[in-house]
Amino acid sequence: MSKTVHFLPDNIKIEIQDKENILSAAARAGVYINAYCGGNGTCGKCKIIVQEGQTAAQKSQFINEADFSQGIRLACQCQPLTDVIIQVPAEIGKEGQALKRQPKTTRAISSRAIDELVGKKRIDPPVEKRFLKLNPPTLEDNLPDLQRLMRAITGSGPHAKEPTYDHPEMLQALPFILREADWEVTVILLRGKREREPDRIISVEPGDTTANFYGLALDIGTTTIDGVLLNLNSGEILAESSVHNAQISYGEDVISRIVYSQRQGGLDRLQKRVIYSINEIIQSICRDMIISPSDISYIMSAGNTVMSHLLMGIDPKFLREAPYVPVCSQFPLTIASDLGVMAHPSVRLFQYPAIASYVGGDIVAGVHACQMHKSALLTLL
């Protein structure tokens, strides 16, 4: 029999089933409760106040009799017996003030400082927008729509390299887009990684949309996820957003999350929570820019090795056990929507590769960004 948990001060309600604890319900509802140990009952951080309703809760060394009588419980050790109202206390700082549960952001570096450190960047995204004017079909030139598009992309040269494509939705929409746009369209091409690898058609858009060319950069942190929307034509930063990594309810550090991933359904929950956080970023940025998530043409992310495994739904079990081996260090270029990310059905998500178990893509991205690998000087990141 389901019961309702009403979380305050977020004013969020969620239905739960028998034997689900408050911490698990909060995580599903997107309510942040500090749970450093990932719900093992060993850190005492996930204290909540049961304002109304009945619960079954184990006694804990972290809660004295006086607090217990006031309804204070550990969320990970507390299961509702009836509908309940739960107050999530504010975290208290050293001076006694309640701390706002907002993501911490890194200190911004000025554009001048970046130019001095890195030098001028060359804008060369892995995707391209190309505006095309196609010749309409005639009785004399009745080439199929797809081949007509390919011809316009490659030109008529004898050694032209024809692109490929990989989703049927494009073919289903193609004849209508071409005709409604009077044969003037913009194609988004994913460039082949190697010289012999063909470009790939990501999308076909009516009219000239080359000015609206967006890429999303994500920093998948253990505590915070940051997102930046860029103009891929100029490299200009257009919008930013930051949220708590919703995995934090299952453990504050990577070791706790590896442990949690070994529980039944744990890996799936951790993956869904990080995707939920990424989608929060995308929704926030798209609201600010008044664009659709499908307008984003490419997504790049960087995170430590454990975060990269969890994003892909790859079991990180052996990262915690000697000799500390990851499943892989280079992650496949993935269709973002296949992971549940709000994106065009064919847009790719690229993850920076890791170097070792605990030297991840976040460090590789930093090395790449500041170009320190090109310097002969001894350099510390």
Side-chain angles (χ1 to χ4, degrees):
M1 181 178 176
S2 65
K3 306 169 189 70
T4 299
V5 180
H6 185 181
F7 289 102
L8 299 175
D10 298 291
N11 195 29
I12 293 175
K13 295 181 180 180
I14 188 171
E15 297 235 336
I16 67 171
Q17 301 296 322
D18 290 338
K19 298 184 179 180
E20 184 176 13
N21 62 45
I22 297 295
L23 182 63
S24 174
R28 285 198 301 111
V31 174
Y32 172 66
I33 296 179
N34 190 350
Y36 188 88
C37 68
N40 289 321
T42 57
C43 71
K45 300 289 187 182
C46 63
K47 291 178 181 177
I48 47 93
I49 302 169
V50 181
Q51 290 196 342
E52 291 184 18
Q54 297 181 345
T55 62
Q58 301 176 19
K59 291 280 187 174
S60 170
Q61 60 178 319
F62 303 106
I63 301 175
N64 59 38
E65 289 292 339
D67 287 344
F68 194 84
S69 66
Q70 296 296 314
I72 296 177
R73 305 286 187 270
L74 293 185
C76 68
Q77 305 295 314
C78 181
Q79 295 177 358
L81 299 175
T82 64
D83 293 349
V84 291
I85 297 177
I86 301 298
Q87 177 75 35
V88 181
E91 295 180 56
I92 305 299
K94 293 180 180 179
E95 306 302 323
Q97 300 97 339
L99 301 176
K100 295 182 179 179
R101 298 198 307 274
Q102 294 294 329
K104 297 177 182 178
T105 55
T106 54
R107 179 174 60 86
I109 302 175
S110 70
S111 298
R112 179 178 177 182
I114 291 175
D115 288 343
E116 290 176 354
L117 179 68
V118 179
K120 297 295 183 182
K121 290 187 176 67
R122 182 170 63 95
I123 307 303
D124 187 23
V127 285
E128 174 191 357
K129 269 196 171 187
R130 193 181 301 176
F131 177 58
L132 303 170
K133 293 184 178 181
L134 281 66
N135 294 321
T138 64
L139 289 175
E140 292 75 25
D141 178 17
N142 59 355
L143 201 65
D145 290 341
L146 179 61
Q147 279 63 46
R148 188 173 300 278
L149 179 68
M150 295 290 193
R151 184 175 67 182
I153 293 172
T154 59
S156 57
H159 303 295
K161 187 170 60 175
E162 194 172 85
T164 184
Y165 66 96
D166 59 7
H167 62 102
E169 292 89 346
M170 188 199 77
L171 287 183
Q172 292 163 3
L174 181 62
F176 305 100
I177 292 174
L178 291 175
R179 287 161 179 82
E180 290 170 7
D182 198 21
W183 303 93
E184 295 187 359
V185 295
T186 300
V187 294
I188 305 177
L189 297 170
L190 175 67
R191 293 175 179 167
K193 289 195 296 183
R194 300 173 182 84
E195 185 177 345
R196 294 182 180 179
E197 185 176 336
D199 295 342
R200 188 174 299 272
I201 301 173
I202 295 296
S203 181
V204 180
E205 300 175 341
D208 185 355
T209 64
T210 53
N212 302 320
F213 193 24
Y214 306 114
L216 180 68
L218 294 168
D219 177 6
I220 313 292
T222 309
T223 303
T224 304
I225 297 179
D226 300 288
V228 173
L229 187 76
L230 297 105
N231 180 330
L232 293 182
N233 288 317
S234 65
E236 177 190 1
I237 293 176
L238 302 174
E240 300 180 55
S241 183
S242 179
V243 299
H244 280 296
N245 186 334
Q247 293 176 338
I248 205 166
S249 297
Y250 300 114
E252 294 235 351
D253 56 47
V254 293
I255 299 301
S256 297
R257 292 185 202 171
I258 293 174
V259 171
Y260 186 86
S261 73
Q262 301 311 298
R263 297 185 184 183
Q264 185 175 3
L267 179 58
D268 182 59
R269 280 191 286 273
L270 287 169
Q271 184 189 29
K272 286 179 177 175
R273 297 316 292 168
V274 70
I275 297 298
Y276 171 87
S277 300
I278 290 172
N279 286 338
E280 279 193 301
I281 293 276
I282 292 173
Q283 287 177 306
S284 173
I285 284 175
C286 288
R287 278 196 303 268
D288 290 344
M289 292 297 299
I290 317 178
I291 63 173
S292 166
S294 62
D295 292 329
I296 297 171
S297 299
Y298 199 73
I299 302 174
M300 299 187 75
S301 72
N304 64 50
T305 312
V306 176
M307 290 298 103
S308 295
H309 276 58
L310 295 178
L311 175 58
M312 298 295 295
I314 300 172
D315 196 327
K317 174 180 171 64
F318 299 104
L319 280 166
R320 183 173 173 260
E321 301 176 6
Y324 316 109
V325 176
V327 174
C328 60
S329 57
Q330 296 198 28
F331 302 92
L333 191 62
T334 305
I335 296 178
S337 61
D338 286 353
L339 298 175
V341 175
M342 289 181 175
H344 185 279
S346 197
V347 162
R348 268 39 177 197
L349 183 147
F350 169 86
Q351 285 205 84
Y352 265 94
I355 294 175
S357 303
Y358 294 100
V359 184
D362 47 357
I363 293 174
V364 175
V367 170
H368 186 201
C370 69
Q371 302 289 294
M372 62 184 284
H373 58 290
K374 296 180 178 179
S375 173
L377 299 175
L378 182 62
T379 311
L380 175 68
L381 177 69

